[in-house]
Amino acid sequence: MDKEHRVETVEQRSDIRSHFIAATPVQVFAAMRDPVRVARWWGPDGFRNTIHTFDFQPGGQWLLTMHGPDGTDYPNESRFTRLVPDALFEIEHFSGHHFVLTISLQASGQGTQVHWQQTFDTVEHYARIAQFVAGANAQNLQRLAAEVLR
């Protein structure tokens, strides 16, 4: 099959991971809906955030600047696409790399299983940054857990 007709599955162009947090879905979602708390956990280790707009509703805009450990600023623009209280957080990210990030929460035993799926437009785009994305997303989930449990 030639390249133009090859089907790229969502799984082939996504970083998919899961992380258990010893807290209820309500407690986890609380750290995802509060911009003050999001600023503390969003992004990889060493990054700080300034949130300019956080219109937490479907269609709402989210503007932030991520401040890298080297002092570089990274403006980010996203839109909330789907939000279900205590269950689902989804954004479409527009600046730099275009992707859709879906975070779903599922009660599990004495806590919550957090399912994270960051999907890029093409396999080629994802492949170029997959190693960085994997490390950054693992750190993001660890930072989210630390924020929930603080």
Side-chain angles (χ1 to χ4, degrees), residues 3 56 75 81 112 116 121 135 137 139:
K3 188 173 182 177
F56 195 72
T81 52
T112 301
W116 179 288
D121 294 337
N137 286 343
Q139 292 167 7

Side-chain angles (χ1 to χ4, degrees), residues 78-100:
S78 297
R79 178 173 46 90
F80 294 104
T81 52
R82 294 188 301 159
L83 298 168
V84 178
D86 312 325
L88 182 75
F89 172 105
E90 184 178 85
I91 63 168
E92 182 177 7
H93 183 267
F94 299 106
S95 46
H97 301 283
H98 182 259
F99 60 82
V100 172

Side-chain angles (χ1 to χ4, degrees), residues 100-121:
V100 172
L101 172 64
T102 306
I103 305 171
S104 58
L105 309 177
Q106 184 175 16
S108 176
Q110 297 299 310
T112 301
Q113 200 64 44
V114 179
H115 300 282
W116 179 288
Q117 181 172 314
Q118 185 177 11
T119 302
F120 295 87
D121 294 337

